[in-house]
Amino acid sequence: MVLPSMRLDGLRAAVTGAGSGIGEGIAEAMAEAGADVALSEVPEKMASLDAVCRRIRGHGRTAVPLSLRLPDLGSIDNFVTDTIDGLGGLDILVNNAGVNIPVDALDLTEADWDLVQDVNLKGLFFLSQAVARRVKEQGTGGRIINVASINGVVGYYKRAAYCSSKAGVVNLTRVLALEWAQYGINVNAIGPTFILTPMTQSTFDDEQMRQDLLRRIPLGRVGQPEDVVGSVVFLASPAAALITGHTLLVDGGWTAI
């Protein structure tokens, strides 16, 4: 028996929200594993892609920085077209872009609810749809990996909109896996625990919340982006060829309690 490879040599990947945090780490990990990478950020944050693109090119891989505003369908179509033009095709999509507006449920506004759902769920779906259509045309099969959250399977304070959106991602992953298996497209998700990134820094600055989170994580520490990237590379690789419709929880043992 030959051990299946976790290398991504010759593959082409797109990673959304790649300017910082988990997305930045995933994009560079993909390049380290051998993939060429298209990276997205919202137009006003495009400069944040410069450093990660330099590191990707330092690995000898192609890096294509592109703007993307979810859930705008025109922006999605342009991103997919420019990704395929820049990389010569597309094999892997990592849906990492997301937003969170932490607020008590009694104070949550319609505008805040809509923004979180639009980016985290609606945008993720329509980008996945656009990519799946192109991969179907290629006839080569592919991988879609959704960055959900531990909050897709458990609740947490001040995250009514966020938890709802990520729970939607978890079940949407199952549906897309069922429908797109016939095209050779594996669809999976990862569910990280709270990861220390620029987006979550304010959460960890609240000492009471930090201690509450640590109490819920048996391994006793918050996560770092490097704790997450291996699971994404694995799901994108030949080693995960028979895995689809699954959400891999990278949660430090939270759900084992």
Side-chain angles (χ1 to χ4, degrees):
M1 179 181 291
V2 177
L3 180 68
S5 175
M6 286 184 60
R7 295 289 303 174
L8 306 178
D9 299 298
L11 298 179
R12 295 133 324 167
V15 181
T16 66
S20 64
I22 293 174
E24 179 181 9
I26 290 171
E28 187 172 1
M30 289 280 179
E32 286 191 53
D36 294 323
V37 186
L39 310 84
S40 88
E41 263 299 346
V42 291
E44 59 269 24
K45 293 184 178 180
M46 285 297 293
S48 67
L49 295 176
D50 292 346
V52 66
C53 283
R54 284 195 297 271
R55 293 197 298 274
I56 287 171
R57 291 165 185 150
H59 292 294
R61 309 314 310 170
T62 298
V64 180
L66 298 169
S67 67
L68 173 65
R69 189 176 295 282
L70 299 174
D72 183 88
L73 298 187
S75 181
I76 287 172
D77 287 343
N78 289 338
F79 173 74
V80 174
T81 296
D82 292 345
T83 293
I84 291 172
D85 288 346
L87 299 181
L90 183 57
D91 307 291
I92 303 160
L93 169 65
V94 182
N95 281 306
N96 169 74
V99 297
N100 179 29
I101 301 175
V103 62
D104 289 332
L106 287 175
D107 299 321
L108 185 64
T109 67
E110 181 181 11
D112 289 345
W113 173 273
D114 287 348
L115 175 61
V116 173
Q117 303 301 328
D118 280 353
V119 174
N120 294 1
L121 187 55
K122 179 180 177 180
L124 179 148
F125 169 72
F126 282 104
L127 178 55
S128 298
Q129 181 191 68
V131 167
R133 286 171 173 166
R134 300 297 289 269
V135 171
K136 178 185 173 184
E137 291 173 1
Q138 287 178 182
T140 56
R143 306 290 172 90
I144 296 175
I145 302 158
N146 300 321
V147 178
S149 170
I150 184 68
N151 290 146
V153 296
V154 301
Y156 198 71
Y157 308 98
K158 297 186 177 183
R159 282 159 176 79
Y162 186 77
C163 288
S164 299
S165 71
K166 293 300 186 177
V169 170
V170 168
N171 216 29
L172 177 62
T173 297
R174 297 186 181 106
V175 175
L176 300 185
L178 293 173
E179 292 198 13
W180 296 346
Q182 62 185 311
Y183 309 123
I185 302 172
N186 294 47
V187 186
N188 290 291
I190 63 166
T193 187
F194 284 72
I195 305 296
L196 182 58
T197 68
M199 190 174 92
T200 62
Q201 184 63 60
S202 62
T203 296
F204 293 114
D205 288 342
D206 182 328
E207 186 59 26
Q208 182 177 356
M209 182 168 285
R210 180 185 178 90
Q211 291 304 318
D212 182 63
L213 292 174
L214 289 174
R215 179 180 62 82
R216 296 168 187 269
I217 301 173
L219 287 181
R221 66 177 179 87
V222 300
Q224 303 289 334
E226 54 265 32
D227 293 313
V228 177
V229 299
S231 61
V232 179
V233 172
F234 164 66
L235 289 172
S237 76
L242 198 61
I243 300 174
T244 196
H246 180 72
T247 296
L248 175 57
L249 298 179
V250 187
D251 67 353
W254 185 318
T255 52
I257 297 174

